[in-house]
Amino acid sequence: MSADSNPSNAAAPVPTDFIRDIVAQDVAAARFPKIVTRFPPEPNGYLHLGHAKSICLNFGIARENNGRCNLRFDDTNPAKEEVEYVESIQTDVRWLIDGWADHCLGFKAPGAAPAAGTVNGLPDFHAAAAPAGTAGAEPFYASDYFPQLYEYALTLIRKGHAYVCDLSPAETEEYRGSPDKPGRNSPFRDRSVAENLDLFTRMRAGEFPDGKRTLRAKIDMTSPNIWLRDPLLYRIRHIAHHHTGDAWCIYPLYDYAHCLSDYLEGVTHSICTVEFEVHRPLYDWILEHLDLPRPRPHQYEFAKLNLSYMIFSKRRLIQLVQENFVQGWDDPRLPTIAGARRRGIPARALRNFAYHVGVTKFDGLTDIAAFEHTLREELNGISHRRLAVLRPIKIVLTNIAEGEVLTCDATNNPQDENPTTRPLALTREVFIESEDFAEVPPPKYFRLKPGGEVRLKYACIIKCDEVVKDAAGQVTELRCTADLTTRAGGPNVDRKVKGTIHWVSATQSLDAEVRLYDRLFTVAEPGAEEDFKKFINPHSLEVVTAKVESSLATATPAERYQFERTGYFTVDSKDSAPGKLVFNRTISLKDTWAKK
RNA sequence: UGCCCGAUGGUGUAAUGGUAGCACAAACGACUCUGACUCGUUUUGUCUAGGUUCGAGUCCUAGUCGGGCAGCCA
């Protein structure tokens, strides 16, 4: 990896995009004491690569400006949210930013609630971030702001900007009109402030059943922007909340809670995806109609990530998991962050990828090849090389005695400045990859063929003397002679042959389960298909029992390995155990030969 | 259909009125004890039509195409 393509390198140029340009202008104009962004997932599912883009953007801006990025759970809909997701999201975020932007992670002091105070003579609430290193610091929760949000709602009512509406859900929809047809005013729109106050207080007190009344902003039922047609601010839901329990039976809606949560936390740049563009006038309207003394946050939108051969829709991801097309949310074939981690994708590769795709408002489709390139680029630099034979075929080196062990030096990583080595045992019987032998070789075949020569990597050149077959005509073993003069230190070490292949000793090697993952879908845009499940790649997972060199006995999930000439692998964090090795293929090596 | 947003090689992006550049992909070549890596060469682009300007990918108008919005979801 070159230094200047690596955003985690201190000397690297910072990325530029239209949002960072805006932030830079705000910094230049000293509009804010500190740049504060936020990553605000709803805890209703696992994070995926699309979220990773957003995390890298928000935390990236924070770290580039000596600012902060709050992790906030946008948990205003208790019907959909669970603690399992709260926990997985924290794990994924911390993993993704570790060693890169963890010093910018905005958490609050344990149990902290927004503090009431006075700013510029006006009453104010502020949800401060805890100083770095605060013991027990925890993420922000929108649900921690329910009391303040309730106060703000009372204020809107008093100012005549909000009213309690008794329309049923169906009636509300009907009154709203449609994009090309203006809506009509609710018959409850002109209730007195006193009545609204009374009704809203009683909503909060639990006097009314679900759906009976709502609190609405009084804006304009004829607005061409549907989100300005008296949007709902609060609904009644008699349901326990994962974070606030039974404390509330009215819950704020996204548009109301989000802008105010941003404000409470002192967020300066609220960055979301383009589908919220039409919500921005409402975001601004709410903040403008409360007399908030501190600088108001502003919303900016960018296009979400689309990757070919992948699916990001939460609804569809759930189907894949629940209908057992994959094995759980961390299945390595899934575009979830948990899946990527288990597959062996380094966090830094994800960050680099986010850097390379850029940030725009254009709704494009990024080629999966760009993602794979970033992976290989990162993995190439950090992976230790190992020899592993995925589909073994036995070779007998007839001029090596049984029991004889010749030790070879193998380079751990040629990309290192001062590469280290490890010993490898060459014995009479070895395994090579079955696809590295062809009885009838295609043109330009560099590998082993009857009567042909090939080099066993780190060992010596061998010549195929005899092909042994069983009664069915299947090749069972190859009998070869080893030219020991071509070993390291030997007189003919520099003798060239066209092909060099990987191998392992038959007696000094280990069996390992190896999971060969491939793309989950067979079409570039599975999300565009009505029945996307018809396009699931039946070969997205192939499991083989491989022969791997014995040094892999102590392999850990923290390590990345390149099985030479094959691909990048890591130990499976769940299923691997001492004595029962399981490897996941992160990504194959580029193979320009196979394409021809 | 009303409103909002967008459009630069095959793909993702840069150029902030002044030489259309980068990365990926593709092709060819060099190197190679990984058909990897690395290095070199090459192919391909400003949606259309008008306008403003000495000069337009950039500004204006219209069109075309694409995306988004009508949950008491976020």
Side-chain angles (χ1 to χ4, degrees), chain A residues 398-415:
Chain A
T398 52
N399 60 327
I400 295 180
E402 240 166 284
E404 189 177 353
V405 177
L406 303 168
T407 302
C408 311
D409 253 3
T411 304
N412 284 320
N413 189 348
Q415 306 290 320

Side-chain angles (χ1 to χ4, degrees), chain A residues 277-294:
Chain A
E277 215 159 11
V278 288
H279 294 239
R280 191 181 344 127
L282 177 55
Y283 183 104
D284 292 334
W285 185 94
I286 293 168
L287 296 176
E288 276 163 19
H289 286 76
L290 290 161
D291 297 310
L292 302 171
R294 287 181 291 116

Side-chain angles (χ1 to χ4, degrees), chain A residues 73-88:
Chain A
F73 289 107
D74 218 348
D75 55 349
T76 56
N77 184 3
K80 291 191 171 182
E81 298 152 9
E82 290 174 32
V83 175
E84 176 193 354
Y85 300 127
V86 168
E87 284 162 3
S88 74

Side-chain angles (χ1 to χ4, degrees), chain A residues 316-389:
Chain A
R316 288 175 158 163
L317 253 17
I318 284 173
Q319 288 181 62
L320 293 176
V321 173
Q322 289 184 344
E323 296 169 30
N324 295 313
F325 289 103
V326 295
Q327 294 152 24
W329 285 103
D330 63 349
D331 188 294
R333 289 166 291 184
L334 248 24
T336 54
I337 294 182
R341 179 168 60 238
R342 189 169 173 195
R343 182 155 170 163
I345 294 172
R348 204 163 79 158
L350 252 30
R351 281 185 240 127
N352 289 348
F353 177 63
Y355 167 82
H356 283 296
V357 291
V359 178
T360 65
K361 296 179 85 155
F362 175 66
D363 180 45
L365 178 65
T366 299
D367 192 336
I368 190 71
F371 180 65
E372 295 177 341
H373 167 80
T374 321
L375 272 187
R376 293 188 179 108
E377 181 183 50
E378 172 69 14
L379 259 8
N380 181 44
I382 64 173
S383 300
H384 275 193
R385 312 289 123 128
R386 290 293 181 266
L387 298 189
V389 176

Side-chain angles (χ1 to χ4, degrees), chain A residues 486-560:
Chain A
T486 60
R487 295 185 65 209
N492 295 321
V493 63
D494 290 329
R495 184 152 82 83
K496 306 284 184 214
V497 286
K498 200 65 187 162
T500 299
I501 62 174
H502 58 282
W503 56 278
V504 295
S505 160
T507 47
Q508 302 209 20
S509 61
L510 270 16
D511 280 358
E513 175 178 329
V514 176
R515 299 171 180 174
L516 303 171
Y517 294 107
D518 199 356
R519 50 185 64 152
L520 229 200
F521 292 96
T522 55
V523 291
E525 257 186 296
E529 304 291 342
E530 68 299 333
D531 187 4
F532 74 104
K533 285 179 279 188
K534 278 201 297 209
F535 300 93
I536 290 178
N537 178 7
H539 309 295
S540 65
L541 170 60
E542 185 184 355
V543 182
V544 297
T545 300
K547 300 286 185 183
V548 306
E549 63 169 87
S550 45
S551 72
L552 251 6
T554 55
T556 71
E559 287 292 330
R560 301 297 187 296

Side-chain angles (χ1 to χ4, degrees), chain A residues 91-354:
Chain A
T91 302
D92 291 347
V93 170
R94 302 195 91 125
W95 174 78
L96 186 55
I97 67 171
D98 181 53
W100 176 69
D102 32 24
H103 60 291
C104 303
L105 175 61
F107 266 26
K108 66 181 175 70
T118 304
V119 176
N120 297 330
L122 259 17
D124 193 36
F125 297 111
H126 182 51
T134 300
E138 58 190 22
F140 293 91
Y141 292 81
S143 58
D144 282 335
Y145 310 146
F146 286 170
Q148 290 73 35
L149 263 20
Y150 181 75
E151 290 301 318
Y152 286 131
L154 257 15
T155 302
L156 284 178
I157 292 171
R158 285 192 201 101
K159 290 163 72 102
H161 295 315
Y163 63 97
V164 172
C165 181
D166 298 0
L167 252 24
S168 71
E171 289 166 332
T172 305
E173 185 183 339
E174 201 261 304
Y175 273 74
R176 183 158 37 227
S178 54
D180 54 338
K181 244 186 17 224
R184 294 141 52 212
N185 283 171
S186 160
F188 306 98
R189 199 172 196 260
D190 294 317
R191 286 218 252 231
S192 69
V193 168
E195 191 184 1
N196 282 323
L197 246 19
D198 172 63
L199 255 13
F200 186 56
T201 312
R202 290 163 61 195
M203 278 170 63
R204 191 257 182 275
E207 283 192 33
F208 312 116
D210 289 5
K212 186 68 180 170
R213 292 187 223 267
T214 57
L215 185 71
R216 293 230 248 168
K218 192 189 282 190
I219 308 182
D220 179 6
M221 288 304 291
T222 66
S223 170
N225 182 344
I226 283 176
W227 292 100
L228 259 19
R229 318 240 266 226
D230 288 10
L232 274 62
L233 269 21
Y234 272 92
R235 78 285 223 184
I236 301 171
R237 280 295 103 97
H238 291 270
I239 177 177
H241 185 283
H242 66 93
H243 190 65
T244 60
D246 294 320
W248 295 84
C249 63
I250 56 169
Y251 291 95
L253 279 110
Y254 166 84
D255 290 289
Y256 179 68
H258 203 91
C259 54
L260 285 168
S261 299
D262 285 342
Y263 172 78
L264 287 169
E265 294 175 16
V267 167
T268 56
H269 300 263
S270 183
I271 302 165
C272 60
T273 45
V274 287
E275 61 265 34
F276 292 102
E277 215 159 11
V278 288
H279 294 239
R280 191 181 344 127
L282 177 55
Y283 183 104
D284 292 334
W285 185 94
I286 293 168
L287 296 176
E288 276 163 19
H289 286 76
L290 290 161
D291 297 310
L292 302 171
R294 287 181 291 116
R296 294 200 292 260
H298 290 279
Q299 175 183 304
Y300 305 93
E301 309 87 12
F302 70 98
K304 66 179 188 298
L305 175 69
N306 295 304
L307 259 188
S308 62
Y309 298 96
M310 280 195 188
I311 248 172
F312 288 114
S313 142
K314 192 167 281 177
R315 201 188 91 242
R316 288 175 158 163
L317 253 17
I318 284 173
Q319 288 181 62
L320 293 176
V321 173
Q322 289 184 344
E323 296 169 30
N324 295 313
F325 289 103
V326 295
Q327 294 152 24
W329 285 103
D330 63 349
D331 188 294
R333 289 166 291 184
L334 248 24
T336 54
I337 294 182
R341 179 168 60 238
R342 189 169 173 195
R343 182 155 170 163
I345 294 172
R348 204 163 79 158
L350 252 30
R351 281 185 240 127
N352 289 348
F353 177 63

